[in-house]
Amino acid sequence: MTELAETYACVPSTERGRGILISGHPKTNKILYTNNRSVLILNLDNPLDVSVYGEHGYQATVARYSPNGEWIASADVSGTVRIWGAYNDHVLRKEFKVLTGRIDDLQWSPDGLRIVASGDGKGKSLVRAFMWDSGTNVGEFDGHSRRVLSCAFKPTRPFRIITCGEDFLVNFYEGPPFKFKSSHRDHSNFVNCIRFSPDGSKFISVSSDKKGILFDVKTGEKIGELSSEDGHKGSIYAVSWSPDGKQVLTVSADKSAKVWEICDDGSGKLTKTLTSSDSGGVDDMLVSCLWQNDHLVTVSLGGTISIFSASDLDKSALQISGHMKNVTSLSVLKNVPKTILSSSYDGLIVKWIQGIGYSSKLRRKENSQIKCLAAAEEEIITSGFDNKLWRVRFLGDQCGDADSIDVGNQPKDISLALLCPELALVAIDSGVVMLRGTKVVSAIKLDFAVTASAIAPDGSEAIIGGQDGKLHIYSVTGDTLTEDAVLEKHRGAVSVIRYSPDVSMFASGDLNREAVVWDCASREVKLKNMLYHTARINCLAWSPDSKMVATGSLDTCIILYEIDKPASSRMTIKGAHLGGVYGLAFTDDHSVASSGEDACVRVWKVNPQ
């Protein structure tokens, strides 16, 4: 049987020049955020306690808990709102098409009966409030001419709704049924976020004009603003009130978060500026914040989540990070088991430790894109979308010097001889290139299109797979390759080849969803009929004891086969990664790590029957 042991969460999807909205559970320390089509529920007290909801058909934008914490409403770029259960199976309760364009913010009413959503209406309404169970409209929202970036529901009766957006306006509505009451043009740029204080007596709006303005709810008039002397130097993207309503937290493109004390007269005095020590690039711009009980949460443009303690602002922040894009390669370090390296095509390499989760980002001096990644004892080899291959030395969490090798064509696959890791085989379209260290020792042109390759751990044999589905076996003597045999079984282009750790077998997978295990000595098929995926096979991994092989596919499934049993007694992990599985690696005989399109890394426990 297989069970999910750990999930290492992806980070929120961010966008340059825009804030994003994260939200929290009304009672516990769980927070909600979105990445691509997924909505993630992350527990701040234990970052390994993660739940993912992946039922949206389009990119999700915002999610919120209902006031009783039982339901979650989440919205996407198509203007659809889905309301689903916060626990267990996340059962769908209702789905409504609310706007004709992207939804940027949504809020529940404090009695949990109504929802207001705002965003881009593509010429139709930009804000709608509706009953959560029937979807009927509760009011008319006129007064905005451009995308409405944020909306808020007054937390106490009588109910009010406020909205703000790209037309620099802050609008005030009374109801229900809601109708326009007043409009304020105190900002001189996009108004990014607007929030009521917990007692419902004031509200604050923050804008790209670097200002935060406080309004009185009864009159709707401006009563004060955040002090500009030590204010933000860049656009303010988000604001969040403390639970007692006496302080607010703001974040800005100037890479800082600030805690303000709100006086009774409505002015804001700076209490503390929070900065997190990072590389200092644009990725450190802060785009979101949340004051969740005793936690101050900020999110940077690079996706890093920093958690400060509200009771001790001088304490340094706990940082959680991960991938934002499709994780295409996984590698487990042989000399340090339990350590997993993962890479996504945007050039990010993250180090995870099994049982702990996020360890660190590996910062390379050359931050090039990554298509393939292979890791040996103290070296990472990457190839991107140019013709270069990089050999990067790394120790602990630091990357040392990097050497680049030009192989003359875009690399399709990298394979390392694990017993002598300076030897590498690189597959390119027209053939293969052999490297020793940083020198190209031979470039062999082949008369078929190469799609995958593997080299034996001792460097004595190489297998090269072609577009025609044939496997060509070569013996390696010195720096030359001589063809020994051609194996025919696959009916589609070979996508992946891997030797078993004891080098008695090798496995191959193709684009026509079939995998085959071969015996190395006799070159006969050892395990056949491995035809249980419904789409192409992307990756393949062997268990360290060579008794099991796992395949990952575009059909979102992982299938585990035991070598000494027929293929029909397989174990299947359905829906392992939304959008497809792209990386697989065993960390020990009974644990397999996987990664995929949903930017998460998961570790599965495998117990053969």
Side-chain angles (χ1 to χ4, degrees):
M1 291 306 297
T2 57
E3 57 172 341
L4 178 61
E6 290 174 3
T7 301
Y8 308 143
C10 54
V11 296
S13 292
T14 59
E15 195 183 336
R16 183 82 190 267
R18 289 232 177 270
I20 59 165
L21 297 166
I22 60 174
S23 66
H25 189 282
K27 302 176 187 74
T28 64
N29 282 326
K30 290 191 169 174
I31 63 167
L32 291 172
Y33 61 84
T34 61
N35 178 305
N36 206 357
R37 280 167 41 207
S38 311
V39 177
L40 282 98
I41 307 171
L42 176 75
N43 187 346
L44 295 176
D45 301 325
N46 172 17
L48 289 180
D49 179 5
V50 179
S51 177
V52 181
Y53 177 80
E55 300 289 315
H56 276 282
Y58 296 87
Q59 185 186 339
T61 52
V62 59
R64 300 238 174 250
Y65 276 104
S66 64
N68 61 8
E70 296 292 318
W71 302 97
I72 293 172
S74 58
D76 62 30
V77 293
S78 72
T80 302
V81 171
R82 291 177 78 97
I83 299 165
W84 41 280
Y87 305 112
N88 304 339
D89 294 341
H90 304 312
V91 178
L92 181 69
R93 178 73 186 264
K94 293 282 177 187
E95 182 176 27
F96 300 113
K97 178 89 171 144
V98 179
L99 300 180
T100 51
R102 168 195 175 106
I103 294 179
D104 284 303
D105 196 0
L106 68 85
Q107 295 281 354
W108 292 77
S109 65
D111 58 6
L113 296 178
R114 300 169 187 83
I115 293 176
V116 58
S118 71
D120 201 352
K122 293 188 182 158
K124 303 236 174 44
S125 62
L126 303 162
V127 185
R128 263 190 67 193
F130 57 93
M131 303 300 289
W132 85 286
D133 50 357
S134 62
T136 48
N137 275 1
V138 282
E140 288 294 319
F141 294 87
D142 313 323
H144 278 291
S145 56
R146 293 183 62 185
R147 184 168 156 186
V148 180
L149 298 175
S150 185
C151 58
F153 224 114
K154 182 162 166 265
T156 53
R157 289 180 184 270
F159 291 153
R160 301 282 180 269
I161 286 177
I162 44 174
T163 60
C164 65
E166 293 187 355
D167 48 11
F168 311 170
L169 296 178
V170 171
N171 285 358
F172 195 63
Y173 301 89
E174 292 188 331
F178 294 97
K179 55 184 189 298
F180 179 79
K181 169 86 186 304
S182 62
S183 179
H184 304 277
R185 204 186 182 112
D186 295 293
H187 288 290
S188 56
N189 207 329
F190 290 1
V191 191
N192 293 317
C193 187
I194 192 159
R195 291 290 174 256
F196 277 105
S197 63
D199 63 359
S201 65
K202 303 188 248 317
F203 62 92
I204 184 169
S205 62
V206 294
S207 153
S208 296
D209 62 7
K210 312 179 183 107
K211 274 193 198 155
I213 298 180
L214 286 123
F215 298 86
D216 180 69
V217 168
K218 285 197 177 68
T219 61
E221 292 305 315
K222 172 180 166 179
I223 50 174
E225 55 183 85
L226 301 180
S227 158
S228 55
E229 287 161 25
D230 26 32
H232 284 292
K233 307 278 185 295
S235 304
I236 306 178
Y237 287 131
V239 61
S240 184
W241 288 85
S242 64
D244 63 3
K246 295 194 168 111
Q247 291 171 299
V248 295
L249 169 68
T250 59
V251 289
S252 156
D254 66 8
K255 303 177 191 167
S256 72
K258 290 181 191 284
V259 179
W260 307 82
E261 192 182 335
I262 305 298
C263 310
D264 293 338
D265 62 355
S267 61
K269 284 210 309 282
L270 183 68
T271 309
K272 177 110 179 111
T273 299
L274 307 171
T275 51
S276 54
S277 52
D278 221 352
S279 60
V282 285
D283 274 356
D284 291 347
M285 291 180 173
L286 298 179
V287 293
S288 185
C289 67
L290 178 67
W291 195 311
Q292 184 69 6
N293 304 330
D294 191 46
H295 299 292
L296 303 185
V297 186
T298 67
V299 180
S300 73
L301 183 65
T304 303
I305 300 173
S306 303
I307 305 166
F308 296 88
S309 163
S311 48
D312 182 6
L313 292 173
D314 297 323
K315 209 161 107 186
S316 61
L318 166 72
Q319 292 198 326
I320 305 171
S321 196
H323 293 283
M324 200 182 291
K325 304 272 187 348
N326 181 351
V327 184
T328 48
S329 314
L330 269 190
S331 188
V332 173
L333 298 180
K334 296 283 178 288
N335 53 348
V336 220
K338 308 263 185 250
T339 302
I340 303 165
L341 293 181
S342 61
S343 71
S344 51
Y345 69 83
D346 53 3
L348 178 64
I349 304 177
V350 178
K351 178 174 153 189
W352 311 90
I353 297 172
Q354 204 178 326
I356 297 170
Y358 173 72
S359 167
S360 62
K361 286 184 182 177
L362 297 185
R363 299 199 181 280
R364 294 171 298 151
K365 296 191 171 76
E366 285 291 327
N367 208 20
S368 51
Q369 289 184 309
I370 296 179
K371 184 180 178 208
C372 315
L373 167 125
E377 252 80 273
E378 290 170 354
E379 190 175 41
I380 301 172
I381 299 179
T382 67
S383 72
F385 294 91
D386 50 8
N387 299 348
K388 288 201 180 84
L389 200 78
W390 293 88
R391 293 190 94 121
V392 187
R393 277 172 279 295
F394 84 104
L395 289 160
D397 299 342
Q398 293 303 314
C399 288
D401 301 332
D403 303 310
S404 70
I405 311 119
D406 195 322
V407 291
N409 212 317
Q410 185 180 326
K412 291 199 139 188
D413 200 354
I414 313 172
S415 175
L416 289 182
L418 285 174
L419 301 175
C420 43
E422 73 273 3
L423 180 64
L425 186 71
V426 184
I428 55 178
D429 255 342
S430 54
V432 288
V433 176
M434 257 172 71
L435 306 171
R436 279 187 199 280
T438 55
K439 284 212 296 292
V440 175
V441 288
S442 63
I444 298 128
K445 267 202 158 34
L446 299 170
D447 52 3
F448 57 92
V450 177
T451 54
S453 67
I455 189 163
D458 58 359
S460 62
E461 185 181 63
I463 306 171
I464 296 164
Q467 186 77 39
D468 53 6
K470 293 178 183 164
L471 295 168
H472 300 255
I473 300 184
Y474 293 83
S475 54
V476 182
T477 41
D479 299 332
T480 56
L481 295 182
T482 35
E483 186 168 320
D484 282 357
V486 179
L487 307 179
E488 296 188 34
K489 176 94 170 78
H490 288 290
R491 291 182 290 251
V494 179
S495 57
V496 58
I497 307 166
R498 291 282 179 272
Y499 276 95
S500 64
D502 63 5
V503 204
S504 65
M505 299 167 279
F506 64 90
S508 52
D510 66 28
L511 299 186
N512 198 21
R513 66 178 214 286
E514 183 171 18
V516 182
V517 175
W518 308 80
D519 189 286
C520 272
S522 66
R523 294 180 182 151
E524 298 290 324
V525 174
K526 177 112 180 203
L527 185 58
K528 57 181 191 293
N529 297 340
M530 297 164 69
L531 256 168
Y532 294 99
H533 283 297
T534 55
R536 67 167 193 247
I537 292 177
N538 289 327
C539 50
L540 189 152
W542 284 89
S543 63
D545 59 7
S546 303
K547 287 185 178 161
M548 237 193 268
V549 67
T551 58
S553 157
L554 184 67
D555 64 8
T556 75
C557 297
I558 299 168
I559 300 182
L560 297 128
Y561 302 93
E562 289 171 74
I563 298 301
D564 50 4
K565 290 189 183 166
S568 54
S569 66
R570 67 204 181 277
M571 291 177 276
T572 305
I573 303 171
K574 286 199 168 91
H577 291 276
L578 182 69
V581 182
Y582 284 86
L584 272 180
F586 276 83
T587 58
D588 58 47
D589 292 338
H590 299 295
S591 306
V592 62
S594 65
S595 69
E597 175 86 41
D598 60 4
C600 294
V601 177
R602 291 189 171 88
V603 179
W604 310 85
K605 277 266 170 274
V606 183
N607 302 310
Q609 285 102 340

